[in-house]
């Protein structure tokens, strides 16, 4: 079997890349080790940057997103028992975010891919990359007990943090940067009316909490927890009691509770692997970088990488130019690191660090107070939260996107 671009992973990065390449007339095949239902069962991101929505709009697949997604023009910061609204739209020059779950984005992309009759091999096991730094890259995998080989021009490693793509690179070829946070997020999904119309990020002495949602009738909540917590030890009632303790009186009293549809603990880390290109292999999304979800950037960074990579591949096939491919890593990383910084900053400002001394706590309070009182600080938070322009990815040397 042969294709132009072999994509490993049917998460948001792989599915979005596959659809964009198809829209450019560039043939591609996706290899996914799980089933479609398993991929859709993972509860992850909830907030889309405007740039991500616009990319999906170019594919003509945003009917459900615009019907069911919730446009949010602000978020609230809760600290010292007071809620402070940050008007994202006013502070970012008119931009907003859309609350629409990653599961739904992936479902829309999967439906579009099936409707176009494109090939996605689910349950593709033992995926292995060959000659990715040579002239005949190819990917082998086993399915239904048979070994298959997919010859291609390029391989897109969209297989997430635990995938094979980054791991096949010689350690001498990669420089990695990492910060592991000393806490996790215990998340709960429930079919209950959200406690607020907008997201509430809380800095409380007991720890961070986040009130989010998926729809007017489905809520998504998180509380910071220690790394040795086990989700089995948390009953729903324990979760609701802990969340209430971290909210202001009004929110605590109006919180609607109900049975959890999903409950899980996610560890938090910042991680970047450089470069994001090695020969004919290009990394995109969590395969190359991880951010703490505090800044709502993970899914949106996957879209950002795919924006640059899809344009570069289109330039290669249409204009016979490899300039975009040659600058992909530098261009993508320029924007990745700004999102890594923002996600680290939002996490540092809102979470309780076990080794925080009085000085660190005072700094947090000063940071929060400055953000809610300074229009300059609010604008900085807002332009990062709604998503920096993709042109921010342009390297200083003016390389093309
Ligand atoms: P993904 O991990 O989504 O997809 C990779 C795909 O590759 C998977 O389907 C996997 O099965 C497949 N794969 C892996 N190895 C393979 C192999 N060897 N062969 C074939 N296929 C293989 N981001 C936010 O913005 N907000 C959040 O609240 C948030 N919460 C999160 C909670 C959790 C528990 C996790 C793990 C992540 C969370 N994220 C959040 C980040 C998340 O949304 C990612 O950024 C997003 O899924 C990135 O998409 P992909 O790069 O496509 O990677
Ligand atoms: C979510 O709804 O899952 C969500 C929203 C915003 C974040 C993180 C997670 O910063």
């Amino acid at each position: 079997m042969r294709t132009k671009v072999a994509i490993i992973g049917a998460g948001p990065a792989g599915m979005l890349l596959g659809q964009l390449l198809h829209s450019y007339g560039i043939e591609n095949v996706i290899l996914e080790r799980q089933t479609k239902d398993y991929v859709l069962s993972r509860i992850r991101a909830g907030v889309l940057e405007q740039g991500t929505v616009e990319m999906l709009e170019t594919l003509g697949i945003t009917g459900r997103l615009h019907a069911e997604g919730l446009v949010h023009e602000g978020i609230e910061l809760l600290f010292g028992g007071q809620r402070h609204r940050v008007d994202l739209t006013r502070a970012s020059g008119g931009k907003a975010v859309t609350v629409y779950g990653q599961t739904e984005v992936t479902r829309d992309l999967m439906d579009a891919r099936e409707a176009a009759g494109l090939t996605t091999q689910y349950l593709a096991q033992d995926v292995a990359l060959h000659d990715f730094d040579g002239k005949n890259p190819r990917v082998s995998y086993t399915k239904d007990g048979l070994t298959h080989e997919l010859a291609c021009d390029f391989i897109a490693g969209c297989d997430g943090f635990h995938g094979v793509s980054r791991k096949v690179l010689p350690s001498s070829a990669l420089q990695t940067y990492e910060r592991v946070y000393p806490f996790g997020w215990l998340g709960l999904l429930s079919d209950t009316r959200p406690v607020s119309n907008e997201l509430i990020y809380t800095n409380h002495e007991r720890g961070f909490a986040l009130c989010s949602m998926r729809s007017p009738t489905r809520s998504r909540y998180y509380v910071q927890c220690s790394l040795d917590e086990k989700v089995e030890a948390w009953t729903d009632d324990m979760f609701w009691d802990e969340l209430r303790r971290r909210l202001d009186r009004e929110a605590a009293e109006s919180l609607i509770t109900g049975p959890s549809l999903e409950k899980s603990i996610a560890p938090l880390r910042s991680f970047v692997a450089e470069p994001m290109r090695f020969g004919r292999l290009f990394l995109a999304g969590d395969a190359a970088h991880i951010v703490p979800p505090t800044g709502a950037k993970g899914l949106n960074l996957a879209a950002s990488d795919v924006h640059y990579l899809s344009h570069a591949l289109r330039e290669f096939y249409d204009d016979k130019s490899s300039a975009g491919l040659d600058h992909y890593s530098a261009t993508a990383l320029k924007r990745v690191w700004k999102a890594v910084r923002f996600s680290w900053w939002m996490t540092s400002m809102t979470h309780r660090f076990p080794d925080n001394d009085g000085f660190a706590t005072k700094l947090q309070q000063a940071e929060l107070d400055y953000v809610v009182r300074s229009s300059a600080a609010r604008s900085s938070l807002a332009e990062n939260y709604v998503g920096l322009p993709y042109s921010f990815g342009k390297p200083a040397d003016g390389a093309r996107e």
Side-chain angles (χ1 to χ4, degrees), residues 8-14 31-34 39 42-47 102 124 127 158-164 185 222 266 284-287 293 296-300 302:
I8 303 176
L31 304 177
E32 165 58 52
R33 73 174 168 189
Q34 304 288 357
V39 175
R42 294 186 302 228
I43 305 300
R44 290 201 175 158
V47 172
Q102 172 173 322
V127 168
C158 301
D159 47 349
F161 184 68
H162 301 291
V164 289
W185 279 18
Y222 299 93
D286 278 16
K297 289 297 157 219
L299 167 58
N300 292 296

Side-chain angles (χ1 to χ4, degrees), residues 44-47 185 199 201 210 212-214 220 222 293-296:
R44 290 201 175 158
V47 172
W185 279 18
L199 274 60
Y201 289 81
L210 170 60
S212 182
M213 64 201 71
R214 291 292 178 270
R220 179 69 169 163
Y222 299 93
T294 326

Side-chain angles (χ1 to χ4, degrees), residues 315-331:
E315 183 184 71
F316 176 82
Y317 286 107
D318 290 0
D319 308 340
K320 309 297 180 246
S321 162
S322 63
L325 291 173
D326 295 341
H327 286 98
Y328 164 70
S329 182
T331 305

Side-chain angles (χ1 to χ4, degrees), residues 49 52 181 269-272 276 285-286 289-305 308 331-348 380-381 383-390 392-393:
E49 292 176 358
T52 303
Y181 297 89
R269 78 173 78 230
S270 298
F271 174 86
V272 180
M276 291 171 59
D286 278 16
H289 41 71
I290 294 282
V291 287
T294 326
K297 289 297 157 219
L299 167 58
N300 292 296
L301 267 187
S304 175
D305 296 344
Y308 298 121
T331 305
L333 283 167
K334 277 269 181 190
R335 195 169 182 276
V336 163
W337 272 109
K338 290 179 178 63
V340 167
R341 180 210 66 84
F342 176 68
S343 303
W344 163 83
W345 175 73
M346 280 286 280
T347 304
S348 306
S380 173
L381 186 158
E383 73 169 353
N384 281 280
Y385 195 92
V386 300
L388 295 174
Y390 292 135
F392 256 84

Side-chain angles (χ1 to χ4, degrees), residues 8 126-134 137-140 155-174 176 271 273 275-283 287-288:
I8 303 176
D126 314 314
V127 168
L129 286 65
H130 311 277
D131 200 24
F132 48 84
D133 57 345
R138 55 196 188 284
V139 182
S140 63
I155 303 172
C158 301
D159 47 349
F161 184 68
H162 301 291
V164 289
S165 300
R166 188 182 71 252
K167 292 170 186 165
V168 297
L169 298 178
S171 53
S172 59
L174 271 189
T176 61
F271 174 86
M276 291 171 59
R277 183 249 180 117
F278 191 84
R280 298 270 178 144
L281 170 60
F282 295 82
L283 302 182

